Amino acid sequence: MAEAEAEIHTEGRRKLVVGLGNPGMEGTRHSVGMAVLGAFAARLGGADCWRSDRHVSGEVILLEVQQTRVVLLRPRLLMNVNGVSVAKAAGKYGIKPEDILLVHDEMDKPLGKIALKHGGSARGHNGVRSCVDCLQADVMLRLRVGIGRPSGKTSVDRHVLSRFTSEEQKVLESVLVQSVDLLISQLSQSDSPQDSRPASSPAGGRQAAQRREGWS
């Protein structure tokens, strides 16, 4: 309990990075945000450091990127209620909506394309809509990871809940690297979101972030 209190009440700038998805369906297109967070944790040597936290209905890792303290969150609730977990984590760690970054799938972009979006409409994404509703804000930064639209007569539901093909997996590997580079670059910035710009892999990216077991 003392450790949890120390984590909650530490001083300094904090960010919350969330991989939206469905628990138990991490390999599907709809849960690609979770894949990005998994790759992010692995890059920083924390792949085995996820711990379940019933108070936030999810799994978390505490990190430090440059001077920024970062909470990684994988909700353990279904996509359409992911926002409940995000709001709980934001409350526990004292993180404002403008310091939350959501990583999620985006059908309007083809596989292989990623982009940052500063706030705005959920544009039909149920996970993002849940976050907007539960946080009562739409200012969260979003890393949109393209998964493309369904082909032929495939329904949207079937498409987003399907797994990537072997050929798509090759593209996804590159997407995960680019996404992690972009996250590290974004989290390393000390100024406002308006100062963000397209990121390339930062020099010493692996050294720029340090895993933390607890904050004190």
Side-chain angles (χ1 to χ4, degrees), residues 129-144:
R129 180 183 295 112
S130 176
C131 292
V132 170
D133 290 346
C134 291
L135 292 166
Q136 297 186 327
D138 64 356
V139 297
M140 294 76 73
L141 184 64
R142 291 157 50 188
L143 175 57
R144 301 155 63 204

Side-chain angles (χ1 to χ4, degrees), residues 158-208:
R158 184 175 178 181
H159 175 66
V160 299
L161 296 179
S162 67
R163 296 180 178 274
F164 295 100
T165 66
S166 57
E167 287 300 313
E168 290 173 330
Q169 283 285 355
K170 298 175 183 177
V171 179
L172 181 61
E173 289 176 8
S174 176
V175 168
L176 295 180
V177 171
Q178 294 174 37
S179 297
V180 172
D181 287 343
L182 184 52
L183 285 176
I184 291 176
S185 177
Q186 185 67 33
L187 293 169
S188 298
Q189 295 175 24
S190 59
D191 296 319
S192 63
Q194 286 72 22
D195 296 326
S196 65
R197 46 196 175 276
S200 58
S201 179
R206 292 175 184 268
Q207 290 73 33

